[in-house]
């Protein structure tokens, strides 16, 4: 009896992992280098403002080593989800190298201005209540979310801030949607990405579930126009201008919805209204994928960083959000938490509509 030959290695698996590693390390290296250089520019400009001070956080701040370890864990989770079939390999950068270089020029043109605005701002000033909350100068952008320039730069800025890991954090929210698609015919479902911004999450959803009818809703028309360019139009894909606290959708009209990095930018009363609207538009048994920043206590070693964030990046409603009880916020509207986990500096929470 001949001895059996050893099984050959899964070459496709090795190729996939090598491709994933090269792409991920390339992103982290590219955006990490931008973050490093931005820090140097910021420190140089800071010399012109000797009286500017950041309040020392009471909680701990993670070391660079801890941050890199958590980014590595996120990338491992991203790859595991690809291999489990929850979503495809991450897409390359839209527009390729030419687009990246153009955004780099725009980004560095804005960095010094943002650094000056941060130090010139009155940190003790309350948000201007005479203007709608969404017209605040978030991230020290003079025009908030309401311009083409902001829409073109936003995704690049976020990736620099999180060392090229923002897209991977968003993709963790595709896992509960994938499980839903395995149980149901996606063509017969209805999905909306609330506050879809530039369409980055919607693009990920459409790549993973191409037959899922989907809607992108946002208050900013410039961001929606960018979302149309990124995700594209299709017969079963719509983009609608609207507010999270007054959704232009019928009662119990959605099987699933996602809300990504929105609630930390809402005032307390608007958070309550938006939670009520999500409960209204989801069908009984409907799924809400909620992605936002860590809150106090989610990852104790990061609590000090959560204290620093609103000072460094002009987030007027952030301090209230990180202490918000999300389970208590959504429960009165029939939404109950089913699962939750951390992904680097984000937390993914899965809610189910009762009934």
């Amino acid at each position: 009896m001949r001895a059996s030959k050893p099984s050959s290695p899964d070459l496709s698996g090795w190729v996939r992992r090598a491709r994933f590693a090269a792409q991920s390390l390339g992103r982290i290296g590219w955006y990490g280098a931008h973050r490093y250089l931005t820090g140097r520019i910021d420190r140089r400009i800071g010399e012109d403002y000797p009286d500017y001070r950041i309040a020392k956080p009471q909680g701990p701040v993670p070391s660079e080593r801890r941050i890199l370890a958590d980014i590595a864990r996120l990338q491992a989770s991203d790859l595991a989800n690809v291999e489990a079939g929850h979503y495809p390999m991450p897409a390359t950068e839209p527009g390729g190298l030419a687009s990246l270089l153009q955004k780099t020029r725009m980004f560095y043109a804005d960095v010094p201005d943002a650094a000056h605005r941060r130090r010139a701002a009155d940190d003790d000033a309350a948000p201007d209540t005479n203007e709608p909350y969404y017209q605040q100068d978030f991230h020290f952008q003079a025009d908030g979310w309401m311009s083409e320039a902001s829409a073109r730069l936003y995704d690049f800025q976020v990736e620099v801030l999180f060392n090229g890991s923002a897209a991977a954090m968003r993709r963790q929210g595709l896992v509960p949607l994938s499980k839903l698609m395995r149980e149901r015919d996606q063509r017969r479902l209805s999905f909306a990405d609330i506050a879809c911004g530039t369409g980055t999450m919607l693009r990920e959803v459409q790549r993973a579930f191409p037959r899922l009818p989907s809607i992108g809703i946002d208050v900013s028309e410039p961001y929606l126009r960018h979302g149309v360019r990124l995700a594209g139009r299709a017969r079963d894909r719509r983009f609608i201008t609207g507010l999270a606290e007054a959704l232009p959708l019928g009662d119990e009209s959605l099987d699933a919805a996602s809300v990504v990095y929105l609630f930390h930018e809402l005032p307390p009363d608007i958070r309550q209204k938006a939670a009520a609207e999500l409960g209204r538009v989801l069908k009984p048994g409907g799924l809400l994928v909620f992605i936002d920043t860590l809150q106090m206590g989610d990852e104790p070693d990061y609590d000090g960083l959560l204290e620093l964030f609103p000072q460094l990046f002009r987030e007027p409603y952030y301090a209230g959000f990180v202490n918000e009880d999300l389970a208590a916020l959504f429960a009165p509207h029939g939404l109950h938490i089913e699962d939750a986990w951390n992904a680097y500096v984000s937390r993914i929470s899965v809610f189910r509509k009762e009934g």
Side-chain angles (χ1 to χ4, degrees):
M1 180 176 173
R2 289 187 301 175
S4 60
K5 293 181 180 180
S7 59
S8 60
D10 180 1
L11 292 179
S12 63
W14 282 108
V15 169
R16 179 175 57 248
R17 290 165 198 165
R19 178 185 162 202
F20 181 93
Q23 189 169 318
S24 297
L25 290 173
R27 282 179 62 85
I28 292 169
W30 174 267
Y31 289 109
H34 282 68
R35 186 168 182 262
Y36 172 76
L37 184 54
T38 298
R40 294 196 61 174
I41 295 171
D42 188 75
R43 286 191 291 274
R44 179 180 57 77
I45 290 173
E47 296 172 359
D48 297 333
Y49 297 85
D51 296 329
Y52 176 76
R53 294 289 183 274
I54 293 292
K56 184 178 179 180
Q58 296 182 350
V61 175
S63 66
E64 284 295 320
R65 183 175 181 179
R66 169 64 188 275
I67 288 172
L68 290 174
D70 286 343
I71 290 174
R73 276 190 283 271
L74 172 66
Q75 299 301 323
S77 176
D78 202 21
L79 175 58
N81 290 335
V82 170
E83 296 192 318
H86 290 303
Y87 46 83
M89 282 283 291
T92 56
E93 295 285 349
L97 181 60
S99 177
L100 277 177
L101 292 175
Q102 181 185 36
K103 290 173 184 175
T104 291
R105 289 193 294 269
M106 294 173 60
F107 175 78
Y108 283 118
D110 183 68
V111 166
D113 291 341
H116 284 297
R117 285 194 294 268
R118 178 185 298 116
R119 288 167 173 83
D122 179 4
D123 290 336
D124 296 325
D128 184 355
T129 54
N130 294 321
E131 295 290 341
Y133 68 86
Y134 48 81
Q135 290 185 359
Q136 300 301 324
D137 56 341
F138 294 104
H139 309 166
F140 295 100
Q141 295 181 109
D143 51 7
W145 306 131
M146 312 307 283
S147 77
E148 290 286 348
S150 173
R152 287 195 300 270
L153 265 182
Y154 176 75
D155 292 322
F156 193 94
Q157 291 171 324
V158 171
E159 290 293 353
V160 171
L161 176 61
F162 296 120
N163 295 291
S165 295
M169 289 190 287
R170 287 190 198 96
R171 281 194 293 272
Q172 307 310 298
L174 297 178
V175 175
L177 292 174
S178 171
K179 293 176 180 177
L180 174 64
M181 301 304 152
R182 292 175 180 182
E183 299 169 354
R184 307 273 298 276
D185 181 347
Q186 61 183 265
R187 295 170 298 180
R188 299 182 181 278
L189 298 176
S190 52
F191 168 82
D193 185 31
I194 311 302
C196 66
T198 59
T200 47
M201 183 63 175
L202 199 57
R203 182 187 186 218
E204 298 282 8
V205 169
Q206 291 163 354
R207 289 187 70 244
F209 320 114
R211 295 178 296 173
L212 175 66
S214 56
I215 305 169
I217 299 174
D218 201 271
V219 66
S220 171
E221 292 187 2
Y223 273 61
L224 281 177
R225 286 194 291 271
H226 189 87
V228 170
R229 291 192 294 269
L230 182 66
R233 290 192 181 275
R235 181 175 56 82
D236 57 356
R237 192 179 308 152
R238 292 186 290 152
F239 292 86
I240 305 173
T241 304
L243 292 162
E245 64 272 25
L247 291 171
L249 300 171
D251 294 353
E252 299 183 354
S253 57
L254 295 179
D255 294 284
S258 60
V259 181
V260 183
Y261 304 136
L262 168 68
F263 270 52
H264 75 265
E265 289 169 343
L266 301 180
D269 60 326
I270 302 298
R271 285 199 294 270
Q272 293 178 13
K273 292 177 181 178
E277 278 293 89
L278 288 163
R280 178 183 68 81
V281 300
L282 280 167
K283 298 176 182 178
L287 192 71
L288 171 63
V289 178
F290 183 96
I291 305 176
D292 218 301
T293 79
L294 295 172
Q295 293 180 287
M296 289 295 179
D298 286 342
E299 194 65 63
D301 288 347
Y302 280 75
D303 282 356
L305 197 60
L306 302 186
E307 295 177 54
L308 290 172
F309 186 73
Q311 298 182 69
L312 296 172
F313 296 102
R314 177 59 175 168
E315 292 281 4
Y317 312 111
Y318 189 84
F321 170 79
V322 294
N323 291 293
E324 181 81 68
D325 184 338
L326 294 179
L329 179 67
F330 284 104
H333 312 295
L335 292 165
H336 302 285
I337 196 160
E338 196 171 75
D339 197 6
W341 65 95
N342 299 341
Y344 181 28
V345 291
S346 296
R347 186 168 176 83
I348 293 85
S349 301
V350 182
F351 292 84
R352 184 78 64 174
K353 174 78 173 289
E354 65 187 17

